[in-house]
Amino acid sequence: MPDPSEKVESTQAHAKSILMSAWRSWALCVAAPGVWLVYVLVNLPAKAEIAAHGPESAFFASGNTLAVVAIAWLALAGPTAFILRSYCFRALWDGRPVEPDSYLKGMGTIWAVLVVGAVIALIGSIRAGQWLPGLVIAGVSIAGILITRPNKQALGLGRPVGPASSSPSHA
């Protein structure tokens, strides 16, 4: 008969490996739009090229349209991603740790939505030949990724999860 402590150790080992995968995914989600952000800051078209095309050309208008698309994407897909994450984190509602695979699905969904929003906004900046509003939208998206970094407490690897963890212990 298997020892119950082996199952707990196996579950914790799986949770630790998922946490490492989450950190790698998070770092990639920060780095990918971050590199694009630096690229846009450094390599935006010169003012002479903008003057040659004219600000009313279809090339520049499509860039501003992409900024609107990025805002619409974040406004619609962002709340949906948080609802999905809440569903994946439903174990926390009962005071239990989140299942490792559910943790990665929930957080990965949020990070993916924010990365896509940032990339759309940055492509819009390149197409429009101007920093604003694309860099602001991308900056907010990247900040959202930075704020939602992986957390070992949700997986039950840190302090205890649930109502008992919020009350102070008196010895």
Side-chain angles (χ1 to χ4, degrees):
M1 185 179 231
D3 184 18
S5 64
E6 289 178 10
K7 182 174 167 82
V8 170
E9 290 175 10
S10 171
T11 303
Q12 284 188 341
H14 182 60
K16 287 180 182 179
S17 71
I18 290 293
L19 184 63
M20 288 306 299
S21 295
W23 275 107
R24 282 188 223 107
S25 300
W26 178 81
L28 180 64
C29 288
V30 169
V35 168
W36 273 75
L37 183 72
V38 171
Y39 174 81
V40 169
L41 286 171
V42 172
N43 295 318
L44 223 81
K47 291 190 185 282
E49 183 179 338
I50 295 171
H53 287 294
E56 281 79 29
S57 72
F59 180 79
F60 296 106
S62 67
N64 290 329
T65 302
L66 284 175
V68 173
V69 168
I71 290 171
W73 168 259
L74 291 170
L76 296 174
T80 304
F82 274 97
I83 290 169
L84 180 63
R85 186 195 70 161
S86 293
Y87 179 75
C88 291
F89 280 32
R90 66 186 176 276
L92 284 178
W93 302 344
D94 299 330
R96 294 179 289 119
V98 176
E99 292 293 324
D101 295 330
S102 292
Y103 179 80
L104 200 53
K105 285 178 195 171
M107 294 307 294
T109 302
I110 290 175
W111 298 331
V113 165
L114 292 171
V115 166
V116 168
V119 169
I120 291 171
L122 291 170
I123 291 171
S125 283
I126 292 169
R127 301 263 332 217
Q130 57 190 17
W131 287 351
L132 296 175
L135 288 184
V136 172
I137 299 165
V140 168
S141 293
I142 294 169
I145 297 167
L146 289 171
I147 290 169
T148 58
R149 68 185 189 281
N151 185 342
K152 66 182 178 181
Q153 282 85 13
L155 290 167
L157 296 174
R159 61 181 164 77
V161 178
S165 67
S166 61
S167 61
S169 61
H170 300 285

